[in-house]
Amino acid sequence: METTYNVKVWKTATYKGARGTTHTVRWTLDGNEQRAPFATRALADAFRSELVSATRRGEAFSLSTGRPVSHQSGATAVNWYDFAVQFTDLQWDRTAGNSRKNTAKALTATTIALLRMPATGFRPVDVRTALREFAFNTKRREEAPPEVSAILRWVERNSLSMAAWEDPAKVDGVLRAFDMRLDGTRAAASSVKRNRRVLNVAMEHAVKRKVLRSNPLPKGRGTAPKTSSAVDKRALLNTVQAARLLGCVRSRTRGGPRLHAFFALLYYAGPRPEEAVAMRVRDVRLPAPEAVDQWCELLFHTAQPEVGKNWTDTGAVHEERGLKGRAADDTRGVPGHPSLTRILREHIKAEELKPGDLLFQGEKGELLAGSVIRRAWRSARVKVLTPDEFASPLGKRVYDLRHTRLTKWLNDGIPPAQVAEWAGNSVPILLAIYARCVSGQLSELKKRMEAGEDLPELPDVG
């Protein structure tokens, strides 16, 4: 740790702004100015007194943190890379596959930002791959090939200590690294927010372990980019567009009818794709063919998100989980339109499926792969949509079939509480996502408001 005794403490500066008064303690280390802002004069004076007392005792100051050596926590004795690896292992059994993957991505970007020097002896892409796929993957770390192990040893030697988090400039540097992608373009706000969330958990763990005195990440409004969960209305399909796309899927020579049934389920019932691929035949309650009421009932109780074999405990591409935001073993029932009843009845008969079979299968009876689903949907968009429509957000993601259905339910006047139950969301989240897409009800709402808002005619008061 580099230190200096050349310290000068200046008078506290006071700034009165529109949002309040800030008291800033100023001092220099070898001529380089340091600053520490405080909300009250008392806090600023107390901190300044500590600096003055340290200089009178002849105490050295750290050049990396700007504080007296006595202020240092246990952070200087802990290597960031070692801490990050331990944090990964601690979180592994607590989190699902996608969360493990997101943790690895966030820690990779952070570690790159906390290296003492660039990795001149290795390609940057190889360093990132070694960190993301091996260092921060508890399952694969011991399987790292020799060339990857060499990179990780170099990273460990060249990682800063946890004391770097006591330097505001270093913290800002890490957060700036989150803001940019590898090609120099700005990262998506949702990605930045996700990385900061992971890092915040890591910092809280460091505080709990007494490695850091406090969480160094900035708090409050404006510290993280704003994100919107609202659906883009341009992504929603009308009935004609949906019919043309599903018809195009059905006409595929390879697995067309099977995929058509899958997309029809998403369109008519609005489940998440990972819930649909997990369904069994027994989860579809079909009415008798001769029944007057041809509505079916669909039961959702399991999800099979696709996370990659490197991030699951079993080594499978999919990870079996319960329903999102629900208690373990919870089940959600959704009514199925008579048109969907007909499609599913024909699908089960054509595929000769038994009650315990997967409702939608791959060519060899396995789970329907996400790559197959996405490829079929993109092919249909290419064939059905105009070039301008294809380049637009219109039905760009398979998930947009769910968005289209939930929006249609709301526009049909179904109460939000009922739609939220069928969708597997809470009412506040449902409205935050879909409120902007509700339309076609304004004329009726105007009539209701007009009916009760006329002021009564009262006699003149003399």
Side-chain angles (χ1 to χ4, degrees):
M1 178 179 62
E2 297 184 15
T3 60
T4 182
Y5 294 91
N6 184 13
V7 182
K8 293 183 179 179
V9 182
W10 301 97
K11 183 180 178 182
T12 300
T14 301
Y15 171 76
K16 294 183 179 180
R19 295 186 177 182
T21 302
T22 302
H23 305 275
T24 303
V25 178
R26 302 173 300 149
W27 71 104
T28 61
L29 303 180
D30 290 343
N32 297 314
E33 185 174 356
Q34 309 286 320
R35 288 172 172 261
F38 294 90
T40 66
R41 165 69 70 175
L43 290 174
D45 287 345
F47 180 75
R48 184 178 181 279
S49 296
E50 291 181 13
L51 298 183
V52 172
S53 297
T55 60
R56 289 174 177 171
R57 292 194 302 268
E59 187 174 338
F61 278 59
S62 168
L63 290 176
S64 61
T65 66
R67 305 305 201 259
V69 172
S70 61
H71 284 202
Q72 296 281 41
S73 63
T76 54
V78 180
N79 178 281
W80 157 254
Y81 173 81
D82 292 336
F83 172 84
V85 168
Q86 293 168 8
F87 174 73
T88 299
D89 294 344
L90 179 70
Q91 295 292 102
W92 187 265
D93 290 333
R94 301 177 178 177
T95 53
N98 275 323
S99 295
R100 294 169 178 175
K101 189 187 301 183
N102 291 332
T103 296
K105 290 179 180 178
L107 295 180
T108 294
T110 304
T111 302
I112 296 294
L114 292 178
L115 289 174
R116 298 179 189 275
M117 63 185 73
T120 55
F122 309 100
R123 293 192 308 163
V125 65
D126 292 338
V127 175
R128 288 183 173 274
T129 300
L131 289 169
R132 185 183 63 250
E133 300 295 329
F134 291 94
F136 303 133
N137 185 315
T138 302
K139 176 183 172 182
R140 300 185 70 201
R141 190 180 306 124
E142 298 302 322
E143 303 171 1
E147 60 273 17
V148 170
S149 297
I151 292 174
L152 297 183
R153 286 194 296 270
W154 180 89
V155 169
E156 183 176 14
R157 291 195 304 270
N158 286 277
S159 287
L160 294 172
S161 75
M162 291 292 288
W165 292 106
E166 297 175 342
D167 182 356
K170 285 293 183 184
V171 176
D172 290 343
V174 171
L175 297 182
R176 283 196 302 272
F178 285 167
D179 293 339
M180 306 303 295
R181 302 174 63 183
L182 294 179
D183 59 4
T185 59
R186 199 159 196 82
S190 57
S191 176
V192 174
K193 202 167 186 177
R194 183 171 58 245
N195 287 340
R196 289 193 179 203
R197 187 163 55 244
V198 171
L199 192 56
N200 186 67
V201 175
M203 294 298 99
E204 291 296 339
H205 177 63
V207 173
K208 185 177 180 180
R209 290 266 315 275
K210 300 189 181 338
V211 175
L212 295 176
R213 282 195 174 89
S214 61
N215 189 331
L217 300 183
K219 300 289 191 298
R221 296 178 59 185
T223 58
K226 292 184 178 180
T227 56
S228 173
S229 58
V231 169
D232 188 341
K233 294 178 68 173
R234 299 173 299 168
L236 304 179
L237 299 162
N238 60 39
T239 54
V240 174
Q241 292 164 338
R244 292 174 62 200
L245 285 166
L246 265 63
C248 182
V249 170
R250 188 179 183 87
S251 67
R252 288 172 63 91
T253 56
R254 189 171 178 179
R258 185 188 307 119
L259 288 165
H260 171 263
F262 173 79
F263 289 123
L265 178 71
L266 298 187
Y267 176 75
Y268 282 110
R272 299 175 179 88
E274 61 266 26
E275 296 171 343
V277 299
M279 290 188 72
R280 301 278 172 176
V281 176
R282 67 168 69 97
D283 298 326
V284 181
R285 297 183 175 177
L286 297 173
E290 66 276 8
V292 175
D293 184 354
Q294 283 297 303
W295 283 80
C296 64
E297 184 182 19
L298 308 167
L299 300 178
F300 298 100
H301 51 80
T302 308
Q304 288 276 0
E306 193 175 53
V307 299
K309 62 182 181 180
N310 291 334
W311 303 98
T312 61
D313 292 325
T314 62
V317 175
H318 292 82
E319 180 180 57
E320 183 171 326
R321 300 179 61 189
L323 298 179
K324 186 176 182 180
R326 297 270 182 144
D329 300 325
D330 200 357
T331 300
R332 186 174 85 246
V334 180
H337 192 276
S339 296
L340 179 60
T341 299
R342 175 181 53 80
I343 293 170
L344 293 180
R345 182 181 284 125
E346 293 175 356
H347 167 70
I348 292 171
K349 181 179 180 180
E351 296 290 322
E352 299 180 349
L353 299 176
K354 297 179 177 59
D357 292 342
L358 286 169
L359 183 60
F360 306 110
Q361 302 177 1
E363 293 183 346
K364 298 180 180 179
E366 75 283 8
L367 275 172
L368 191 57
S371 58
V372 173
I373 296 169
R374 291 187 294 271
R375 187 163 56 245
W377 187 248
R378 186 181 187 282
S379 176
R381 290 185 75 245
V382 169
K383 294 179 180 178
V384 169
L385 303 181
T386 67
D388 285 344
E389 288 174 333
F390 180 79
S392 75
L394 178 64
K396 193 169 186 178
R397 304 182 306 156
V398 174
Y399 209 94
D400 291 328
L401 286 168
R402 169 178 164 87
H403 289 326
T404 296
R405 173 48 49 191
L406 270 57
T407 300
K408 193 173 189 315
W409 278 336
L410 291 170
N411 284 329
D412 288 344
I414 298 175
Q418 182 61 76
V419 175
E421 170 63 24
W422 291 341
N425 283 338
S426 67
V427 174
I429 290 178
L430 180 83
L431 296 179
I433 295 174
Y434 299 102
R436 296 181 187 176
C437 300
V438 178
S439 61
Q441 302 178 24
L442 184 58
S443 59
E444 178 64 27
L445 294 174
K446 286 180 178 178
K447 291 178 183 178
R448 294 183 190 178
M449 290 186 286
E450 284 179 359
E453 292 196 2
D454 285 342
L455 293 175
E457 294 186 7
L458 301 176
D460 293 336
V461 179

